[in-house]
Amino acid sequence: MLVLTDPTKPDSTETFPQKDFLEGAKMLAGRVDPPTKSTGALHKLLTIVVQVAVEDLETTFTEADVAYAYRKLHRLAEVRVTKWKDDAAACEKILASKENGQRAIWLSRTQTAQEARLDTLEKSEFVVFTRGTDPTQARNILTHETFGGLLPGVERTDSPSEDDAGVQTGFGVKTTSTGRLEEWSLGTLDGFSTGGFMLIAAAKPTAVRLPPVKVRTAGERGVTGFADQRLLGVAILKAGPKSTADPLERAIEGLLKQGVANAKSALRDAVLQR
């Protein structure tokens, strides 16, 4: 529950439960730091925080809690902008290196040859796949040489289940009972995230969940693996187009992809800071 003071009575301390999160966000737009307009990424961020506060039936939140949570997420976005810039510079340096170029050429040629034997990939020594990702995850994947950029876990002898892989491919669900998942593509990708990097990597066929044979020649052809699964090799193929969007707005939009979870975490922290 969210309780607010009456905005029409500046000197009043009387509070009331806010039941309409859209109206609540509108009321608080000029009372948070930084203030928001009625539209845009900042207002979306405030709105999701207000919505989570309003819909929580167990905790009573105040205007101060919402302002704290909103500001925390805003700072997180600012940090992300700085980190993206640093990570992009590091990836550009790797892309220009001779070692990366040689590895990328070898993996690309192997992926091209792979197209002729898609129905027997399970019997191959390794499988090659690609994905476009943002600078931070790209750098993590290159640093740790893992499927999703996490620190290498215990050497796995299994691959994601068919059900888990299907949920990741169809609905983007990453968290499973056996570990976090990531998805790459069997084929080469033409388009990928603005400001990001195209990676190419290889792994043992037994370490990933390959798409069914009947769909390996078309579509996304998603290859799903555990985020902490080790790769046999990885390189940057190319950099994506430069972004013309505001970096902070892009960072906020990224936070909004898991907006409810991020808002809940920030509001919990606000309660602890009282």
Side-chain angles (χ1 to χ4, degrees), residues 4 9 25 27 80-82 84-85 101 107 118 124 127 182 191 205 247 271-272:
L4 299 176
K9 303 175 181 178
M27 289 169 52
R80 183 171 289 190
V81 169
T82 300
W84 271 351
K85 183 178 179 181
L107 286 168
L118 292 177
S124 300
V127 57
E182 292 288 346
V271 171
L272 294 174

Side-chain angles (χ1 to χ4, degrees), residues 5 29 70 72 90 95 139 164 168-169 179 190-191 204 225 265 271:
T5 55
Y70 164 79
K72 178 178 181 178
L95 178 60
R139 189 177 185 183
D164 286 342
Q168 161 65 3
T169 298
D190 295 324
K204 298 177 181 178
S265 176
V271 171

Side-chain angles (χ1 to χ4, degrees), residues 100-257:
N100 178 84
Q102 292 175 333
R103 186 181 295 117
I105 290 173
W106 184 84
L107 286 168
S108 295
R109 289 174 176 171
T110 304
Q111 186 183 42
T112 299
Q114 174 177 282
E115 292 290 318
R117 47 184 173 80
L118 292 177
D119 57 342
T120 59
L121 283 181
E122 288 83 355
K123 300 178 182 180
S124 300
E125 183 179 357
F126 46 78
V127 57
V128 179
F129 32 75
T130 55
R131 75 168 293 176
T133 188
D134 65 60
T136 295
Q137 189 172 30
R139 189 177 185 183
N140 287 337
I141 290 171
L142 291 159
T143 299
H144 302 306
E145 294 191 333
T146 54
F147 210 79
L150 298 185
L151 285 167
V154 177
E155 192 69 30
R156 292 182 181 268
T157 57
D158 61 335
S159 60
S161 69
E162 186 173 348
D163 287 343
D164 286 342
V167 174
Q168 161 65 3
T169 298
F171 301 96
V173 176
K174 295 179 179 290
T175 304
T176 71
S177 60
T178 51
R180 180 180 172 84
L181 302 181
E182 292 288 346
E183 184 180 24
W184 294 55
S185 175
L186 266 183
T188 56
L189 300 173
D190 295 324
F192 57 100
S193 59
T194 299
F197 293 86
M198 177 66 69
L199 303 184
I200 185 167
K204 298 177 181 178
T206 55
V208 297
R209 173 64 59 176
L210 294 168
V213 174
K214 61 182 179 181
V215 298
R216 289 182 190 175
T217 59
E220 285 294 321
R221 296 187 284 173
V223 179
T224 305
F226 292 109
D228 62 352
Q229 176 68 52
R230 297 173 189 272
L231 296 168
L232 297 178
V234 60
I236 303 178
L237 272 180
K238 55 184 176 179
K242 300 298 182 182
S243 174
T244 57
D246 178 81
L248 183 60
E249 287 200 6
R250 287 188 66 217
I252 291 173
E253 291 291 352
L255 289 177
L256 289 172
K257 290 180 180 178

